[in-house]
Amino acid sequence: MQVVSPKDYSVASSPFSSPNIGALLKIKVITWSQQTGLPVSVRVRVKDKMFNLHKFPLTSKSGYFKKMLNDTSEVELPETFPGGPETFEMIASFIYGSSTLIDPFNVVALRCAAEFLEMTEDHCSGNLCERFDLYMNQVVLQSWDDTLIALQRCQMLLPWSEDLLIVSRCIESLAFMACMEVLDPERMRDTPVVTVEELTSQAWSSEIMKDAVSQDLWMKDLIALPFDFFKRVIGSLRKQGMKEKYVSPIIVFYANKWVLSKKTRQFWESSCDKIGEGGINSKASVILQGVVDLLPVGDKARKVIPVGFYFALLSRSIELGLRTESKAKLQDQITSLLHFSQVEDFLLPESGTESMSSCMELVTMESIISAYVASNSHLNHTPEASNCRVAELWDSYLFNVAADPGLIPKRFVELIERIPPSYRQNHYPLYKTINNFLKKHPGISQDDKGAVCKYLDCQRLSQEACIEAVQNELMPLRLIVQALFVQQLNTHKAFKECSDSFRYAHCGDMSGSLSSSMCPYSASQNLGESPYTDGHELSSRPLSLLLQKDNVMQNFKFPTTEHESTSFRIQNLEQELMSLKRSLQLHNIVTKSEPNLINSQKMKPCGLETRSLSKRRNAIGQATSCISSVNFASQRRYAGRLLKVFRRITLFGSWKLKRKPGTPSQLSK
């Protein structure tokens, strides 16, 4: 008795089968000889094992033996006999009338062997082929676990299991039961079926996918199948009507396990001596190529598969050298979902890469960005928010690329230009990227610095970012001047809002009230109806309203040293207002002492016109400061109140409003 090979043993062996099939067969042969008085007359060789049997039982049930034993008493079964010696031993036991247990582990091998031996109804009623088919349909294919076991055994019995439609029947049965699991008509599930819709807004993580698939064991069973069977199961699921949001996660989990998982790579690398390096890459390439072909495209994939998964597949395809059509399909899908991605998903070369500026990952990302810009250039309905999102992602991605010492300024500018200026609403990510580039390339010239900062617009930076840019020694002089100018405009805007708010809130209380054309609310509203005050908060409400409008003043507290220039400008403004106040006081003295209006006009300082002329031409005079023009009323009381307001704006220096007890105006009428 020869030892059975491990492969043959794995095909027909079963944890439920009797281990003494050989001994049982010998007993049956001896019993037959005793009952009939006929000695064994046939020798059957299966590989390296010999069986001594009787001719009549074999020829009465097997068409194969009926043909082969006409002229000879010795038959050698070919190497392609399904199941090997162990399976033939079980078939011989059945022929002699044994009731050896059939189970999901051996039924496929037995059915294939019976087909090879032509044990059909043509030779004997109730023959083995019919018996095994009946067991398959009524027992195995009614159970999820038994069907999985049978399908796994089919892989080692190809092409017999395929020709007998055993594989197809198992796949259809699995797909049907999976659909029933999703539909859950009997409401037996405690939790919903796992999907990946909630993961579309997160960065890709293989560990998260691994935890998600463990929630549904039927999915875990499917992703353990060989890829040839797996892709047919996916096709059957779609054919039977399962929704894409349930089918796509199975594909994602399968690819994560066999293509993207680091543990799988380490396992294959550890078996490199047996398989070979080329065999490992070839196997992974076949699976990856098949996964790409299974993935949905277009609108079917939106919000069903995370865009980070496509990035992970694209990175792996670059590593394995996948064919161009597959990489193009992945890039097209990424382009359509780019605004849903995270910067962590973007392709970056491994740490050992010499230069990032010429690596394949960066070239691929450039191609994706260019395709996105081209696809949205002729579409007017594209949401502007998605373009801004893509611009911020690209600028943040370039932050990592800028750290490459081999990246020249010209190449860096080309990368920045991949995104149109209109896409960038927030320039702070671009500022950080440029700052990182200048840090890593301290030796570049001023001209190169100017070229690199050409697309940086300080008007689209926050106030704190502008102050940071002014204090950054790496930035070119032109950008610093631009940042100072923007800061100056912001300060002027704050002063103007303060002045306008104060003027509208108090226009009805001015001595010698302003004309209705200059203050539209004075004719139709009293102070309690002012759009800026509640009537009883005249002194505090306008300033608080201004502070509420200023988000920077609410959410960010600057150090005092960063506002020295602003405080200096405010001090100059106060000095100018004090000078103007003294001029108004002198004007009051002169108007009382001179009865003649003409002489009074000649004595006015600063060339001010008469009050009536001022009302007619310009009810509000102008005084120019070092920053901009500040509007105020020509009346003395209004000038005193405006001075009080600007003194309060010194919170730009300390960033806190220091309230003082109210005192009567120094310029009482």
Side-chain angles (χ1 to χ4, degrees):
M1 184 79 64
Q2 300 294 329
V3 179
V4 180
S5 65
K7 180 179 179 181
D8 295 336
Y9 183 79
S10 63
V11 170
S13 62
S14 168
F16 308 109
S17 299
S18 171
N20 298 320
I21 296 177
L24 181 61
L25 178 60
K26 287 184 179 180
I27 295 174
K28 288 291 183 180
V29 171
I30 294 173
T31 303
W32 176 269
S33 297
Q34 293 175 351
Q35 292 177 351
T36 61
L38 299 175
V40 293
S41 57
V42 175
R43 301 181 64 186
V44 180
R45 177 181 294 274
V46 184
K47 293 187 177 180
D48 52 357
K49 190 174 182 180
M50 186 69 71
F51 296 90
N52 297 316
L53 305 173
H54 296 86
K55 180 178 179 180
F56 178 76
L58 295 178
T59 57
S60 63
K61 294 185 178 181
S62 171
Y64 178 82
F65 284 119
K66 189 174 184 179
K67 291 183 295 184
M68 299 298 294
L69 295 177
N70 285 331
D71 302 329
T72 181
S73 61
E74 185 170 341
V75 178
E76 182 175 359
L77 297 182
E79 293 288 333
T80 58
F81 177 75
E86 186 180 26
T87 301
F88 181 79
E89 193 172 53
M90 297 179 67
I91 291 289
S93 299
F94 279 112
I95 291 175
Y96 278 92
S98 175
S99 59
T100 304
L101 180 64
I102 309 173
D103 56 53
F105 292 91
N106 58 30
V107 66
V108 178
L110 292 174
R111 177 63 181 87
C112 294
E115 184 69 22
F116 179 89
L117 297 176
E118 302 177 17
M119 303 179 73
T120 63
E121 295 296 305
D122 298 336
H123 302 89
C124 178
S125 178
N127 212 341
L128 294 186
C129 288
E130 183 182 6
R131 291 175 60 185
F132 295 149
D133 281 335
L134 191 64
Y135 181 83
M136 283 284 300
N137 295 331
Q138 295 185 356
V139 178
V140 175
L141 298 181
Q142 304 302 317
S143 168
W144 175 270
D145 293 334
D146 292 346
T147 305
L148 278 176
I149 293 171
L151 185 59
Q152 290 171 350
R153 295 304 173 105
C154 287
Q155 185 183 17
M156 296 177 286
L157 293 166
L158 296 172
W160 287 96
S161 59
E162 189 68 67
D163 295 339
L164 295 174
L165 304 180
I166 300 176
V167 175
S168 300
R169 285 186 285 170
C170 290
I171 288 174
E172 294 296 328
S173 177
L174 288 176
F176 175 78
M177 287 186 282
C179 291
M180 290 296 101
E181 183 72 20
V182 172
L183 293 176
D184 192 21
E186 299 180 1
R187 301 293 186 269
M188 299 180 61
R189 292 184 59 90
D190 297 330
T191 58
V193 179
V194 174
T195 62
V196 292
E197 291 181 348
E198 64 275 6
L199 304 177
T200 54
S201 59
Q202 301 180 16
W204 172 257
S205 173
S206 295
E207 298 302 322
I208 294 178
M209 293 293 118
K210 195 178 300 182
D211 295 338
V213 72
S214 61
Q215 300 177 19
D216 270 318
L217 295 180
W218 66 273
M219 287 189 181
K220 196 171 183 180
D221 291 335
L222 290 182
I223 67 175
L225 293 173
F227 182 73
D228 290 338
F229 293 161
F230 174 78
K231 67 180 181 181
R232 293 174 63 178
V233 171
I234 295 298
S236 182
L237 290 174
R238 287 172 172 161
K239 187 188 304 181
Q240 296 191 27
M242 181 179 284
K243 293 182 179 180
E244 195 61 44
K245 71 174 183 177
Y246 299 120
V247 177
S248 295
I250 306 175
I251 304 174
V252 172
F253 296 146
Y254 191 90
N256 185 62
K257 177 180 177 64
W258 297 106
V259 179
L260 304 178
S261 175
K262 293 182 179 180
K263 289 185 177 180
T264 303
R265 295 191 209 179
Q266 293 173 357
F267 172 76
W268 284 349
E269 289 174 359
S270 63
S271 58
C272 181
D273 296 337
K274 298 180 180 179
I275 304 177
E277 184 68 27
I280 294 175
N281 291 337
S282 176
K283 185 176 181 180
S285 298
V286 170
I287 296 177
L288 178 57
Q289 181 63 57
V291 167
V292 172
D293 295 337
L294 287 176
L295 290 175
V297 295
D299 294 336
K300 291 183 179 180
R302 294 181 184 273
K303 296 185 179 181
V304 174
I305 298 179
V307 64
F309 173 71
Y310 290 106
F311 274 112
L313 289 185
L314 183 58
S315 176
R316 188 75 169 127
S317 65
I318 293 174
E319 180 182 347
L320 295 175
L322 213 62
R323 64 173 185 248
T324 307
E325 308 87 74
S326 300
K327 290 189 287 187
K329 180 180 178 181
L330 291 173
Q331 291 183 28
D332 292 342
Q333 199 61 44
I334 290 173
T335 300
S336 63
L337 302 172
L338 189 59
H339 53 286
F340 293 115
S341 63
Q342 305 292 325
V343 68
E344 294 83 4
D345 297 329
F346 281 19
L347 304 182
L348 282 174
E350 296 182 359
S351 57
T353 305
E354 296 181 358
S355 177
M356 293 179 61
S357 59
S358 59
C359 66
M360 189 62 186
E361 287 79 2
L362 180 57
V363 174
T364 304
M365 286 305 307
E366 281 188 274
S367 176
I368 293 173
I369 292 295
S370 300
Y372 177 85
V373 174
S375 63
N376 290 276
S377 60
H378 61 283
L379 298 177
N380 296 327
H381 63 274
T382 302
E384 186 178 356
S386 63
N387 295 339
C388 298
R389 171 66 177 166
V390 171
E392 292 183 6
L393 289 172
W394 181 244
D395 292 340
S396 301
Y397 172 74
L398 292 182
F399 181 87
N400 300 319
V401 179
D404 180 19
L407 184 63
I408 61 176
K410 182 179 179 181
R411 173 64 172 153
F412 184 61
V413 173
E414 290 177 355
L415 295 175
I416 294 176
E417 290 175 344
R418 294 296 178 187
I419 290 292
S422 60
Y423 283 24
R424 291 188 174 97
Q425 300 299 321
N426 179 18
H427 279 221
Y428 188 63
L430 180 60
Y431 168 77
K432 292 194 300 182
T433 298
I434 293 175
N435 185 42
N436 190 36
F437 178 80
L438 296 178
K439 284 181 180 179
K440 301 298 181 179
H441 303 79
I444 65 175
S445 63
Q446 289 294 327
D447 293 339
D448 290 336
K449 286 185 177 181
V452 167
C453 299
K454 178 173 62 175
Y455 294 99
L456 186 59
D457 187 0
C458 293
Q459 292 184 354
R460 298 185 180 182
L461 292 175
S462 62
Q463 186 173 353
E464 56 268 27
C466 281
I467 294 175
E468 181 182 347
V470 170
Q471 297 176 344
N472 194 342
E473 298 179 354
L474 298 174
M475 294 296 161
L477 180 60
R478 180 178 180 181
L479 183 67
I480 295 176
V481 172
Q482 183 186 4
L484 285 171
F485 178 72
V486 170
Q487 186 182 3
Q488 180 179 353
L489 291 179
N490 292 337
T491 308
H492 163 53
K493 182 179 179 181
F495 286 163
K496 188 175 185 301
E497 289 182 358
C498 177
S499 176
D500 292 343
S501 300
F502 188 86
R503 173 163 55 88
Y504 285 123
H506 296 272
C507 60
D509 192 44
M510 297 299 150
S511 61
S513 61
L514 299 175
S515 63
S516 61
S517 62
M518 293 291 102
C519 186
Y521 293 99
S522 61
S524 60
Q525 299 177 353
N526 55 28
L527 290 179
E529 297 172 346
S530 171
Y532 297 96
T533 66
D534 292 334
H536 60 282
E537 298 179 350
L538 296 177
S539 60
S540 62
R541 186 62 181 274
L543 187 59
S544 64
L545 180 63
L546 173 66
L547 297 178
Q548 290 176 2
K549 291 181 179 180
D550 193 350
N551 295 329
V552 179
M553 294 170 64
Q554 290 179 359
N555 303 324
F556 196 87
K557 184 175 180 180
F558 292 105
T560 306
T561 56
E562 296 182 357
H563 289 278
E564 292 179 355
S565 60
T566 306
S567 301
F568 176 73
R569 295 167 184 168
I570 294 176
Q571 291 173 5
N572 289 341
L573 179 61
E574 288 184 346
Q575 292 176 4
E576 186 174 350
L577 291 175
M578 290 295 295
S579 175
L580 180 59
K581 184 176 180 181
R582 286 194 296 269
S583 299
L584 290 174
Q585 290 174 345
L586 180 59
H587 168 68
N588 185 30
I589 296 173
V590 171
T591 53
K592 289 181 179 180
S593 61
E594 295 293 334
N596 194 324
L597 181 61
I598 300 176
N599 293 335
S600 172
Q601 290 178 351
K602 293 181 179 179
M603 293 295 294
K604 282 184 180 179
C606 302
L608 294 175
E609 299 178 1
T610 61
R611 179 175 177 179
S612 61
L613 184 61
S614 175
K615 280 187 177 181
R616 186 167 59 252
R617 293 184 180 178
N618 187 7
I620 301 177
Q622 291 185 348
T624 305
S625 67
C626 62
I627 300 176
S628 63
S629 62
V630 179
N631 296 327
F632 58 93
S634 60
Q635 287 77 12
R636 295 171 296 173
R637 182 177 299 177
Y638 185 66
R641 290 181 179 178
L642 186 59
L643 177 61
K644 184 178 179 180
V645 171
F646 280 114
R647 282 178 176 172
R648 290 186 179 182
I649 302 180
T650 54
L651 59 89
F652 277 87
S654 62
W655 213 253
K656 288 184 179 180
L657 179 62
K658 298 180 180 179
R659 298 181 177 272
K660 296 182 180 181
T663 56
S665 176
Q666 296 179 4
L667 298 177
S668 59
K669 186 173 178 181

